[in-house]
């Protein structure tokens, strides 16, 4: 893989949180970043913030639930920089609540953004990467994709699907110049829960370790430098994943303390798993 300063990287969900922090870090190291999200004003602001650095951020307005928008994102990268080396499928939303209180409309929305958004972005990217003969697809999943927690059944299901998708890609890519990686953050302090309140009308509270978007961004960039199959941004989370395989019933009891619950107060800490 070339140096970061030589790479062209597309990122979905780049207007805030992990996506924004990753775009900023990559640009600071000289990468050409095509940043996509629905909020173009936030992307324009990001591009201005990075304008004085060695890299460049190219804003692209797009919705990951639109296959045409993801094809346009890849086209923008190729038109502006001539190729696409890395696609980071980062855009995602959360929805927390018991399964019986989750409506089919909410299920569909979370699946459309978290899973279909990943598939659309990766599919568009891979078509271009096949033509150029190399590429790296990275999906930003969550530790709850490896070990689901109470109150996050649909969200956890989409995150598990991202992991299985990347596993399958890795099997397809063996012996080729292509790479696929999945990143599994723990709860990340961002506007993630603000988005839940905005989109679904409730806030969520829960216990557990937390990280900053910048810490996750560092792990993502390290994975771009040296591709890894799976990246646990909090190393001890790997042990939870292993424990869930060897002793699933005991793991059920362990993770009860980390279950998500709805909370009406606006004073909750905002963190996205």
């Amino acid at each position: 893989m070339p140096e970061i300063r030589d790479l062209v990287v597309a990122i979905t969900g780049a207007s805030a949180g992990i996506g924004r922090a990753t775009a900023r870090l990559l640009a600071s190291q000289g990468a050409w970043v095509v940043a996509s999200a629905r909020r173009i004003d936030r992307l324009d602001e990001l591009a201005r913030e990075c304008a004085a650095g060695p890299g460049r951020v190219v804003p692209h307005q797009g919705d990951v639930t639109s296959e045409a928008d993801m094809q346009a994102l890849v086209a923008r990268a190729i038109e502006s920089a001539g190729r696409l080396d890395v696609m980071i499928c980062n855009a995602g939303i959360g929805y927390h609540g018991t399964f019986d209180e989750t409506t089919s409309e909410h299920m569909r929305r979370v699946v459309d953004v978290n899973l279909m958004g990943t598939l659309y972005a990766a599919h568009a990217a891979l078509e271009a990467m096949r033509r150029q003969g190399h590429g790296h697809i990275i999906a930003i999943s969550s530790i709850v994709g490896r070990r689901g927690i109470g109150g996050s059944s649909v969200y956890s299901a989409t995150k598990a699907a991202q992991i299985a998708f990347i596993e399958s890609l890795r099997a397809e890519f063996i012996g080729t110049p292509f790479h696929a990686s999945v990143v599994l953050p723990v709860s990340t302090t961002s506007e993630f829960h603000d988005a839940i309140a905005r989109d679904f009308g409730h806030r969520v509270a829960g216990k557990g370790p937390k990280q900053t978007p910048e810490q996750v961004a560092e792990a993502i960039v390290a994975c771009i430098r040296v591709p890894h199959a799976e990246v646990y941004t909090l190393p001890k989370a790997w042990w939870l994943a292993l424990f869930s395989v060897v002793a699933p019933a005991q793991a059920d009891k362990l993770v009860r303390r980390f279950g998500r619950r709805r909370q009406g107060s606006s004073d909750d800490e905002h963190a996205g798993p």
Side-chain angles (χ1 to χ4, degrees), residues 48-266:
R48 289 192 296 270
E49 289 177 3
C50 299
R56 181 179 177 185
V57 171
V58 178
H60 175 82
Q61 187 173 30
D63 185 333
V64 293
T65 66
S66 166
E67 185 175 13
D69 281 6
M70 293 303 94
Q71 291 170 341
L73 168 60
V74 172
R76 181 72 181 275
I78 294 171
E79 290 166 4
S80 63
R83 67 181 193 280
L84 176 60
D85 299 304
V86 183
M87 169 62 81
I88 302 176
C89 305
N90 166 75
I93 60 172
Y95 176 84
H96 300 303
T98 60
F99 186 59
D100 55 296
E101 67 188 6
T102 305
T103 68
S104 59
E105 178 184 358
H106 292 159
M107 295 178 200
R108 190 173 299 108
R109 176 63 179 161
V110 176
V111 170
D112 282 348
V113 175
N114 294 359
L115 178 54
M116 296 308 300
T118 294
L119 298 179
Y120 288 151
H123 194 264
L126 187 54
E127 288 183 344
M129 291 172 177
R130 289 290 190 193
R131 291 193 295 269
Q132 68 193 23
H134 72 274
H136 190 176
I137 294 173
I138 301 175
I140 311 304
S141 179
S142 168
I143 188 58
V144 302
R146 277 287 184 225
R147 170 63 249 193
I149 59 175
S152 297
S153 54
V154 176
Y155 178 77
S156 296
T158 62
K159 293 294 152 179
Q162 287 179 303
I163 295 170
F165 168 61
I166 292 297
E167 288 175 343
S168 297
L169 278 189
R170 292 203 314 267
E172 293 179 16
F173 291 167
I174 290 174
T176 75
F178 298 92
H179 302 282
S181 305
V182 64
V183 179
L184 300 103
V186 298
S187 188
T188 305
T189 305
S190 69
E191 64 174 47
F192 186 85
H193 280 184
D194 285 337
I196 294 176
R198 181 190 66 231
D199 294 342
F200 300 112
H202 64 266
R203 292 197 179 279
V204 176
K207 298 179 180 179
K210 293 177 173 60
Q211 294 181 307
T212 67
E214 289 73 23
Q215 288 173 313
V216 180
E218 290 279 1
I220 294 169
V221 173
C223 181
I224 293 173
R225 290 184 184 279
V226 181
H228 289 280
E230 296 184 352
V231 177
Y232 289 84
T233 61
L234 183 69
K236 65 182 180 181
W238 182 86
W239 291 103
L240 175 60
L242 179 62
F243 185 46
S244 296
V245 173
V246 299
Q250 287 76 11
D252 291 344
K253 298 175 183 178
L254 175 66
V255 301
R256 283 188 68 181
R257 72 186 70 174
F258 303 128
R260 297 298 186 247
R261 65 185 186 279
R262 292 187 180 185
Q263 189 164 314
S265 171
S266 61

Side-chain angles (χ1 to χ4, degrees), residues 15-40:
S15 62
I18 293 171
R20 189 181 187 92
T22 305
R24 186 184 292 115
L25 180 59
L26 285 167
S28 74
Q29 297 183 14
W32 185 288
V33 181
V34 184
S36 179
R38 292 178 299 171
R39 295 179 291 180
I40 190 65

